[in-house]
Amino acid sequence: IEREIEKLKKAIEGDSIDEIRKCIDSLNTASHKLSEVLYQKVKGTAGATAGSSAGSSSSAAGESSSGQRSSEGDVVDAEYEVEDDKKS
């Protein structure tokens, strides 16, 4: 991706719109490939986690309303009330 960014910067310094578009397409392709790799890693990690906890109760503490565990650790769902600074 960094190489594609450098190519795009050089193309911008030039006058060829076609070269700039070509570099933008190359950068988009590279970023999509990176996104796919990251998605597969996250999907693989989430699948392993879901598979290991498949036998646990869905009402266990720390689960969201969709049934997935939070990766933030000890998360507390709380209500709050905004108080006005000017009290009468």
Side-chain angles (χ1 to χ4, degrees), residues 19-61:
E19 184 65 25
I20 293 172
R21 287 183 179 154
K22 179 181 169 186
C23 290
I24 289 172
D25 289 341
S26 295
L27 178 58
N28 282 334
T29 300
S31 67
H32 289 157
K33 286 180 182 179
L34 175 62
S35 297
E36 288 174 14
V37 170
L38 293 174
Y39 178 76
Q40 290 300 323
K41 285 186 177 183
V42 169
K43 185 178 174 184
T45 303
T49 302
S52 65
S53 63
S56 65
S57 170
S58 63
S59 63

Side-chain angles (χ1 to χ4, degrees), residues 1-84:
I1 290 181
E2 290 177 5
R3 181 175 55 232
E4 298 300 330
I5 291 171
E6 292 303 317
K7 286 181 185 179
L8 179 57
K9 286 180 182 179
K10 289 179 182 177
I12 290 172
E13 292 173 1
D15 294 332
S16 175
I17 297 295
D18 291 333
E19 184 65 25
I20 293 172
R21 287 183 179 154
K22 179 181 169 186
C23 290
I24 289 172
D25 289 341
S26 295
L27 178 58
N28 282 334
T29 300
S31 67
H32 289 157
K33 286 180 182 179
L34 175 62
S35 297
E36 288 174 14
V37 170
L38 293 174
Y39 178 76
Q40 290 300 323
K41 285 186 177 183
V42 169
K43 185 178 174 184
T45 303
T49 302
S52 65
S53 63
S56 65
S57 170
S58 63
S59 63
E63 290 188 3
S64 67
S65 61
S66 64
Q68 296 178 339
R69 288 198 174 273
S70 171
S71 62
E72 299 295 322
D74 293 333
V75 178
V76 177
D77 187 19
E79 293 183 20
Y80 65 94
E81 185 176 312
V82 178
E83 294 184 13
D84 194 7

